[in-house]
């Protein structure tokens, strides 16, 4: 889930409420200007301040995956493989997705620019 907020720093004051809902507050977690909350491997909230270029990047990735089922299937299979390989190491799991995500980001940006 992607959430836009007016003031990203104000969101930091609500981490306790997110934790009460079972989410772990991860801070920027590798993306400047983001606030990332996760609940296991299945529930993720990416929050950005209104106007952040990261919003467009995330939406382009989502839209690309929706319209390119073969890429979505490949991503799904990669995530399953990584979850099995690194059941207790979320950082290794995330690192394992990094190259694929960057490649898809490039494809998604080109695809979006042509539509």
């Amino acid at each position: 889930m992607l959430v836009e907020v007016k003031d990203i720093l104000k969101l930091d004051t609500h981490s306790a409420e997110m934790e009460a809902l079972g989410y772990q507050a991860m801070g920027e977690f590798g993306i400047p200007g983001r606030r990332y909350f996760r609940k296991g491997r299945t529930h993720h909230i990416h929050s950005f301040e209104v106007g952040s270029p990261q919003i467009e990047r995330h939406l382009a990735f989502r839209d690309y995956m929706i319209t390119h089922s073969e890429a979505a299937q490949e991503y799904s299979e990669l995530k399953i493989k990584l979850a099995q390989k690194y059941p207790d190491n979320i950082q290794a799991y995330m690192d394992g997705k990094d190259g694929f995500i960057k490649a898809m980001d490039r494809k998604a940006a080109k695809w979006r620019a042509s539509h």
Side-chain angles (χ1 to χ4, degrees):
M1 182 181 302
L2 189 144
V3 176
E4 290 182 80
V5 297
K6 289 181 183 178
D7 183 350
I8 199 73
L9 296 177
K10 189 173 182 181
L11 182 58
D12 292 336
T13 66
H14 296 283
S15 292
E17 286 109 305
M18 293 299 291
E19 289 172 353
L21 295 172
Y23 285 88
Q24 182 180 11
M26 304 297 295
E28 290 185 327
F29 202 64
I31 300 178
R34 171 176 73 168
R35 295 303 180 270
Y36 178 60
F37 300 91
R38 72 174 181 217
K39 190 176 194 178
R41 291 187 187 206
T42 59
H43 295 71
H44 306 140
I45 299 175
H46 304 261
S47 299
F48 296 98
E49 199 163 276
V50 172
S52 168
Q54 290 293 335
I55 296 167
E56 176 62 25
R57 184 183 73 79
H58 277 75
L59 294 177
F61 182 90
R62 177 205 64 191
D63 293 347
Y64 186 84
M65 289 293 165
I66 289 170
T67 58
H68 295 83
S69 59
E70 69 288 345
Q73 182 63 36
E74 187 179 349
Y75 187 43
S76 177
E77 290 169 5
L78 174 63
K79 293 193 301 182
I80 289 167
K81 181 179 127 185
L82 292 169
Q84 291 170 344
K85 187 174 182 179
Y86 303 111
D88 300 317
N89 186 341
I90 191 68
Q91 189 60 52
Y93 171 82
M94 300 293 283
D95 290 346
K97 296 187 321 176
D98 189 61
F100 182 90
I101 290 171
K102 286 178 178 171
M104 289 302 109
D105 277 343
R106 287 188 296 274
K107 289 181 178 183
K110 288 179 185 176
W111 172 78
R112 180 158 274 193
S114 71
H115 285 83

